[in-house]
Amino acid sequence: MEGMTNSAVVLADHASYAAAVEEAAQAAAAYYATGESTLDDDSYDRLARGIAAYEREHPQEVLPASPTGKVAGGAAVGDVPHTVPMLSLDNVFSAEQFATWTASLERRIGRPVTAWSVEPKLDGLAVAARYHEGRLERLITRGDGTAGEDVSHASGTVVGLPARLAEPVTIEIRGEILMTTEQFEQANTVRTEHGGAPFANARNGAAGTLRAKDRAYTVEMTFFAYGALPLPESGALAAELTELPHSQVLARVAKLGVHTAADTEVAPRTAATVEEVQARIEEVAALRAALPFGIDGIVIKADLAADQRDAGSGSRAPRWAIAYKLPAVEKVTRLLGVEWNVGRTGIIAPRAVLEPVEIDGSTVSYATLHNPADITRRDLRVGDHVMVYKAGDIIPRIEAPVAHLRTGDEQPIAFPEACPQCGSEIDSSEQRWRCVRGRDCRIVASVSYAAGRDQLDIEGLGTTRVVQLVDAGLVTDFADLFMLEREQLLTLDRMGETSTDNLLAAIDTARSQPLSRVFCALGVRGTGRSMSRRIARYFAEMDRIRAAGEEELQRVDGIGKEKAAGVVAELAELAPLIDKLVAAGVNMTEPGATPPPPPGEEAEGETAAGTEGAPLAGMTVVVTGAMTGALEKLSRNQMNELVERAGGKSSSSVSKRTTLLVAGEKAGSKRTKAEELGVRIATPEEFAEMVGDFLPVDA
């Protein structure tokens, strides 16, 4: 959990304190009124912590407008009273702070807490849904905690919040409304089509959408329940909800047909000890980047009803629950300019140049912008304040401009009129622009990619050596590598007899690489390592791939109509290169694969040719952790190749469709999820025995 922070803005005197209070109040008011704010979450949190620290040192100077101790910073409004106050949560930012909080809680209740509930802190808006005899009657925002705003008009656009429950019970269900990543992208598409500015992020999108009335369009949101409480007319259900552990309350809510986080990668879990809680916190933090919705922390609650009653609540937050905040993955910064870079296939990709900003423990100075159409759709301008998102190892991206911060000095982004790399014309017929010279525009990048470890794996052929070969006129594409002669190489700088012989030996070894790697080396757009393996396993021979039409290509798992058309077009463009490879004696078959049956004769449910009778036929396999024994030296890509040679389908995530998990050392959350789903788990040694005939010779 490195990178955690609880840093605060340092306020030196009353004037700076008063200015901070005013800034926090304005930011909170803007957020709770329209979903827009002048501050990102992390900046607001740092400001609020600085205000609280100053007030602890100068209690006599506390201003009435201070956000300290108030739900929603005291800014939210509403006229629908809550049956029970709808409180916020206090925060911790490290394992040490969390341990201190748990010790304080146990002192307060006079006994150890033996059951904890650990669940994601969803990055949305808290709401209360009131049901009467199973029918949804009212949807209310949290507001200031005592009263909220009636947003029942929006309930029909919220997935996971049924109009009728599975039972005719009277109950209030509390939870979070948010936009998933997919819903956010769709919302911005619809919004910009109707002339609106795109939302800066998913949270603001949900806030604005929930309150909007009389729009000419609708967008979808998602509800996640995090609790429930009885209403005056709840009857026997009231006693049940009052005595059940929190985890069982969530299970009861799910049975009523309401959406919870139970079916997600970060499903709520119970833990018996603080150590188990901390382990789960680290698991959830590691999963954050891959989630289809935003979280900004983990909520830990005393699970037992008796512990919650004895702990009680303060004016702002319950004493039996805490939010363990994760490092911010969103920040507001300025767009200083746009660079246009040309990739190995000739794709011209825009990259945002940013005013450097600290996000999730690293300094971000650049972000992806996808394509020119995306820039136009988001109405980005140089000088804009932009919301930048970064999570895990994902390349930072710009969500949208923060339009309400515009000053009028922002300038349109200039699109290139010619290829920035070679000056040739640009093919702008598709969303992703491309130099008309294609791969010839970036020969060095194309050849270096083909020679890489996961493609042809030519040892000793780094970028510097490729540049040397290209500059000498010896290589115009990667097929020329297989035609290099010893005398030619010996004339180059820093190429003695030993290094020349080693390079030629590595190139000769690459001739026998399987078809899947050769196909991957071609760099066909829309395919990568996994798709190249599937195509090679299905067709078995390069000639059959080249002869396949769009319809036959769609029989390969993961290839749809659009991708099939792209592959056919790319292979036609690459025909001269493939012919050169064949002439150079490069292998064009996939070991262990057999050609597919003629169209119309494929067995129902079959997704790859040549897998019948193989040890992993029909199985979806996930590999995680460090391999040992016979598999120790295999990279993750080589493990995936092994899975598919043995007839299986490799996957990167555990789900209900997973057949087998190969769990090495430090398998982590994937092993936990496999155990929960009842997925078969094998050690590296057991797996090696299963696929023994398919292991590489040197394994």
Side-chain angles (χ1 to χ4, degrees), residues 148 212 222 286 342 429 508 559 576 646 658 664 685:
T222 298
V342 184
S429 60
D508 193 52
I559 295 186
T658 305
E685 289 72 22

Side-chain angles (χ1 to χ4, degrees), residues 635-652:
S635 67
R636 188 51 41 88
N637 184 54
Q638 289 173 317
M639 283 295 296
N640 290 336
E641 288 178 331
L642 174 58
V643 167
E644 294 179 20
R645 278 201 307 275
K649 176 184 175 183
S650 61
S651 177
S652 59

Side-chain angles (χ1 to χ4, degrees), residues 471-551:
D471 287 347
L474 299 178
V475 169
T476 58
D477 55 44
F478 80 87
D480 286 339
L481 295 172
F482 297 99
M483 301 173 188
L484 290 172
E485 297 177 0
R486 191 170 188 270
E487 291 71 21
Q488 293 175 317
L489 293 176
L490 287 172
T491 64
L492 301 177
D493 290 341
R494 299 182 303 280
M495 285 296 287
E497 292 189 0
T498 300
S499 55
T500 293
D501 291 341
N502 288 342
L503 178 57
L504 288 174
I507 291 172
D508 193 52
T509 299
R511 291 181 205 273
S512 59
Q513 289 283 12
L515 173 61
S516 55
R517 284 178 170 252
V518 176
F519 190 89
C520 189
L522 292 172
V524 176
R525 283 181 291 172
T527 67
R529 295 189 297 266
S530 180
M531 182 60 71
S532 295
R533 287 195 298 269
R534 275 180 254 161
I535 291 172
R537 291 293 305 170
Y538 186 87
F539 289 102
E541 301 169 0
M542 178 64 86
D543 285 346
R544 292 180 181 274
I545 300 175
R546 298 175 75 179
E550 294 179 24
E551 187 175 336

Side-chain angles (χ1 to χ4, degrees), residues 350-374:
R351 183 172 76 158
V353 181
L354 304 171
E355 192 171 274
V357 61
E358 186 86 5
I359 308 180
D360 197 10
S362 63
T363 300
V364 173
S365 301
Y366 300 96
T368 183
L369 285 175
H370 301 297
N371 55 61
D374 187 64

Side-chain angles (χ1 to χ4, degrees), residues 131-134 167-172 229-243 252:
Y131 285 88
H132 182 73
E133 295 181 356
E167 300 174 30
V169 294
T170 298
I171 189 174
E172 179 168 305
L229 60 146
L231 295 170
E233 306 88 2
S234 291
L237 180 63
E240 182 183 354
L241 292 176
T242 303
E243 295 304 322
R252 183 79 172 87

Side-chain angles (χ1 to χ4, degrees), residues 149-150 153 209 211-215:
E149 182 182 350
D150 190 327
H153 62 274
T209 300
R211 296 183 174 90
K213 295 180 180 179
D214 303 322
R215 272 184 180 168

